[in-house]
Structures are given as C-alpha cells and as structure tokens.
Amino acid sequence: MQLEPEWVAEQNRSAGRHLDHDLDHVVSVLGRHGLEAERIITEVAAFSVAAPSWAVGTGATRFGRFPIGGEPRNLLEKLDDIAALNNVTGANRTVSLHVPWDDPEDPAGVRQYGAERGIGFDAMNSNTFQDNPSTTDGGAVSYKFGSLANTDEGARKAAVEHNLYVIDLGVQLGSRALTVWLADGMNHPGQADFRAQFDRVADGLAQIYAHLPQDWELFTEHKPFEPAFYSTVNADWGTSLLLAQATGPRAKCLVDLGHHLPNTNIEQIVSRLAMVGRLGGFHFNDSKYGDDDLTTGSIRPYQLFLIVLELVNAGDGFMPTLAYMLDESHNVKDPLEDLIQATDALQQAVAQALCVDRAALKDAQTDNDPARAAEVLMRAWRTDVRPLVAEARRRNGAAIDPWAAYRASGYRQAVRAERGADARATGL
Ligand code: RM4
Ligand code: MN
Ligand code: MN
C-alpha cells in the first residue's frame, strides 16, 4: 500500500470543488492588499521538510512506550512509510537518518529504493549519546562521561571515528550534511572543567570537519539541558556559534525549537545566526515545558509564524534552502498522522509569513509606529491561508486534505496486518 498519486487524485476530486471557491476568495483578499497569491502558492509548493527515520516509530517517555503496531521493521519499510507520507503532503521529500539506529548494509540499494519512491537523503545524524558496540570501539569504551568532551582519549577517538563513518555513509546515500548533537555535559557542579570540555569538543569537531567533502556542511545542534542536568557543553546558540566559528566556514548552527529554555526569543536567535551566515538547519517541534517534542505549531503557532518570518527575512522574501527536519516524538498519535499535521502546520506558517507585507512593515518600523507594524503582522497571521496551502499540495500531486486522506486510506490497518501488531521501529 503506497497511497499512490492516482488514489490521492481520486480523494481530491470532491474536496477540489470547495477549494476552487475558497481559493478565489483568498486570492481577492490578498490582492486588495497588494499581495500576489500565486507567488505564495509557488513558494509553499517548493518547501519541503525532512522526516527523520526514527519518527515513523512510536516515541516513548521515561515511563513507557505504547507501540501502535505495524511499525516499520527495517529501513526499507521506514522509506515506505515516508513515501506514503510524502504522497499525501508532497512536502516530505527527504529522510534524515540517525546512525546507528539506521545503519544500512547496502547504502547504494537503500538510496535506489528511496529514489524510486521520490525520497532523497537529508542531513545525517550521528549518535554518540548512547553506548553501542558499533560506535564505542566494539564496546571497549563508554560514553557515560561524554563523547567528544570525554577526558578519556579512547572515548573521544571512538566518537570522532563514528562521525567519520557517518559522513562516509552519507556520501553513499547522497546526503550533504552531518548534524552533531552531543549529550556531553555535567550532571553535577565541579564534575568537569567548562573550558576544557569546550576545548575538547572543538578539537573533535575540527577532526570531523577535516573529513567533510567539499560540498558538505556540518551542523552543531545546541540544547541547554537533558540528558545532562547541570550543564551541557553546547548549551545555547552562542556556544554553538563559537563552535561553528572555531571549526570552519562550512560549520553552521542548527536550531531545534525545543532546545531553548521557556520564553526564549527564538526568532531573534534565528535572525542573529542568519546575520552572520551561520544558520544551517532546523529541527521543528513544539513544547510547553522543555524538549517536549510535541507537534509543530500545536502549542505556540504564533511563535512559529514569527520564526518562519525571520527565515523569510533571511531569504529576502523567500524561504532559504536550509536543512529543515521534523524532530518530534509521537507518543500517543499515529506517527504518520502527527508528521502530516506537523508538515501542514509548517506549510501554513510559511504561507502566513509570506503574507506579511514586508515593505509596509519596514515603513512602520522606520516611522517608529509599532501599532501600524502590529497591524501588518496581524493581517498576515490572521489570514486564512489554508486554501493556498491546499492548492500548493494539489499542484504537487499531493492531497488537498492530507490527514483525512491518510485516515481514509486504512494505511495503518494495512501495515499492521502486513508487518504485525508487535512490529517495532528502531529508535530511542
Ligand atoms: C535530541 C536532539 C537530536 C535528536 C535526539 C534524538 O534531543 O533533538 O536532534 O537526534 O534528541
Ligand atoms: Mn533535534
Ligand atoms: Mn531534542
């Protein structure tokens, strides 16, 4: 079962009649404010966000996991799920692998399998936050006290080598970037030396960077806490930027929306990193308390809009081409349904951000007129952009209403029957 384009087109037939009508309305509303709907539709249609290979399985909390059944049993089945996802959204055209959760023996075959289903390979993710015989020198060393920041030379060496391995694997898959998220930090004050830890991480990143192909980028992903609860080496965007600057011009920062303390002004961080040419990638999710990995746009959609607006500013009116990925944990929803909802939320945010009259906003800012600036923002934010997004999907051959199409398809029931009710995907 693949939710083939012909089937999707069939689903679109009835919804399409209403869409034409709704679209006419929003086109005229935008036109009245001098905005071109066609440009927004084209931009939304071009946008794509990677699905991580581990997100097609059920997520877990510290307290348990409730598998949904029919989870992919191997990487090829994960690609099947992501292809099905992309067939309804038209906006998940790549997958991001986490190694060794996914460590294909036949990368060329996997690449081909993905290509046949319209799925390419986005940034590679290395994993030095868990002990695994294949990443810790056959089990001879442990990451218990860190990987690149470890005082133990053997652990540092194993961590560097794992990253080199992930780059080599990525080259075979057609990826162009490596994302390094480190669990390294401290659980207790005094446990380690802040500066020495930073220096060791910078040194490890330099060794990894030296192995990068010319057309690759390296992303450092910051996070303030967890699993280390006193300090994290790459704790914030400032540290991430220091690491990137120390590493080289193709080292950039990756912003995971959940990796900020409550109330942090993430849109300002996005602006700063873009300003210095070091914004490399994004992990989208939403949160109420910490790194909750909830559905993108489900808790603070206005903040998401403001963040995407800074991306549009960075791209001077267009969405810049960065490594966009969804990084969520689907504990109680069907993972594919959550990914559909997250992708849709992002497409809405892109459309809303493109509805901002940037010239009018600039004028209001120049005139020190915050009320007028607020009107410009609110007009965009409160525009019902759903018909624009639906039209972008229709043009991509995807579903006008992807969640409804997926539900109607019976995909979950079909894979449960095929793969088994106890099939579990690899991941945390
Ligand atoms: C981390 C971080 C990384 C992700 C792991 C699983 O919190 O968000 O990007 O790879 O979780
Ligand atoms: Mn992340
Ligand atoms: Mn995270």
Side-chain angles (χ1 to χ4, degrees):
M1 174 169 232
Q2 273 305 315
L3 314 187
E4 299 293 352
E6 302 72 43
W7 181 84
V8 171
E10 184 60 40
Q11 299 297 303
N12 282 350
R13 216 146 286 155
S14 58
R17 283 193 297 276
H18 299 293
L19 176 56
D20 292 337
H21 179 79
D22 296 349
L23 198 55
D24 283 347
H25 175 71
V26 66
V27 168
S28 74
V29 170
L30 289 174
R32 235 178 292 142
H33 294 106
L35 290 163
E36 207 195 317
E38 189 56 35
R39 192 180 91 80
I40 299 171
I41 296 168
T42 309
E43 273 291 287
V44 173
F47 177 76
S48 180
V49 59
S53 59
W54 63 101
V56 284
T58 319
T61 67
R62 283 191 291 137
F63 303 98
R65 184 176 188 224
F66 301 95
I68 189 170
E71 292 180 23
R73 293 165 294 184
N74 52 52
L75 182 51
L76 299 186
E77 288 183 352
K78 289 182 180 182
L79 291 171
D80 287 340
D81 276 9
I82 292 164
L85 168 73
N86 186 47
N87 282 350
V88 289
T89 65
N92 308 102
R93 302 191 276 270
T94 52
V95 58
S96 203
L97 294 199
H98 218 297
V99 186
W101 292 342
D102 288 295
D103 190 358
E105 277 167 21
D106 173 22
V110 164
R111 183 178 183 174
Q112 174 70 19
Y113 192 88
E116 282 161 10
R117 285 155 185 77
I119 303 298
F121 290 81
D122 223 288
M124 303 292 291
N125 300 270
S126 57
N127 178 339
T128 59
F129 49 86
Q130 288 173 307
D131 280 345
N132 181 300
S134 69
T135 61
T136 55
D137 202 14
V141 296
S142 169
Y143 295 143
K144 180 175 177 181
F145 293 108
S147 58
L148 295 180
N150 205 313
T151 53
D152 180 69
E153 199 188 334
R156 290 203 303 277
K157 190 163 168 283
V160 168
E161 273 166 11
H162 169 66
N163 277 281
L164 306 193
Y165 174 84
V166 174
I167 293 170
D168 292 343
L169 175 62
V171 167
Q172 296 178 74
L173 292 167
S175 169
R176 288 286 184 76
L178 171 72
T179 301
V180 178
W181 173 69
L182 300 169
D184 297 45
M186 291 183 226
N187 271 296
H188 309 283
Q191 180 186 329
D193 180 82
F194 288 121
R195 189 164 169 170
Q197 278 196 325
F198 180 94
D199 286 343
R200 288 192 289 265
V201 168
D203 181 60
L205 289 175
Q207 292 177 54
I208 296 164
Y209 188 82
H211 195 74
L212 275 191
Q214 280 308 311
D215 58 347
W216 272 55
E217 290 181 327
L218 181 146
F219 305 138
T220 53
E221 179 181 359
H222 61 273
K223 177 167 174 170
F225 71 94
E226 194 191 46
F229 282 103
Y230 167 64
S231 67
T232 298
V233 178
N234 189 8
D236 52 23
W237 74 276
T239 310
S240 192
L241 180 57
L242 287 177
L243 286 169
Q245 286 171 334
T247 303
R250 285 176 292 119
K252 296 184 174 171
C253 304
L254 184 141
V255 177
D256 182 316
L257 298 190
H259 292 191
H260 301 89
L261 296 173
N263 304 325
T264 299
N265 191 330
I266 302 174
E267 53 271 28
Q268 186 173 22
I269 293 172
V270 171
S271 171
R272 290 281 192 275
L273 289 174
M275 178 178 80
V276 293
R278 295 283 181 166
L279 185 62
F282 257 86
H283 284 180
F284 290 103
N285 47 50
D286 212 336
S287 62
K288 192 156 176 67
Y289 304 106
D291 190 19
D292 307 344
D293 285 335
L294 298 174
T295 317
T296 304
S298 66
I299 308 283
R300 283 176 290 199
Y302 187 60
Q303 184 191 41
L304 180 65
F305 160 73
L306 294 175
I307 289 167
V308 175
L309 179 58
E310 287 311 321
L311 287 169
V312 169
N313 284 339
D316 201 18
F318 297 89
M319 278 297 279
T321 311
L322 303 179
Y324 299 114
M325 190 192 93
L326 298 169
D327 193 2
E328 304 177 342
S329 182
H330 324 290
N331 300 330
V332 294
K333 281 184 190 165
D334 176 331
L336 289 174
E337 294 193 10
D338 200 14
L339 290 167
I340 288 168
Q341 291 177 334
T343 303
D344 180 51
L346 259 176
Q347 291 178 304
Q348 307 286 337
V350 169
Q352 286 170 320
L354 292 168
C355 283
V356 173
D357 185 338
R358 292 172 68 242
L361 185 60
K362 199 168 180 204
D363 282 349
Q365 292 168 347
T366 307
D367 295 347
N368 287 318
D369 192 340
R372 184 145 54 91
E375 288 295 314
V376 174
L377 281 189
M378 284 301 160
R379 192 192 304 144
W381 159 247
R382 289 179 176 145
T383 304
D384 184 356
V385 295
R386 286 175 297 179
L388 302 174
V389 170
E391 176 62 10
R393 279 196 291 258
R394 178 161 66 177
R395 292 188 192 179
N396 279 339
I400 288 173
D401 186 342
W403 180 82
Y406 174 82
R407 258 292 163 97
S409 74
Y411 186 86
R412 180 57 56 190
Q413 291 86 332
V415 291
R416 208 180 268 137
E418 185 188 320
R419 300 169 184 167
D422 56 356
R424 289 184 184 209
T426 49
L428 259 183

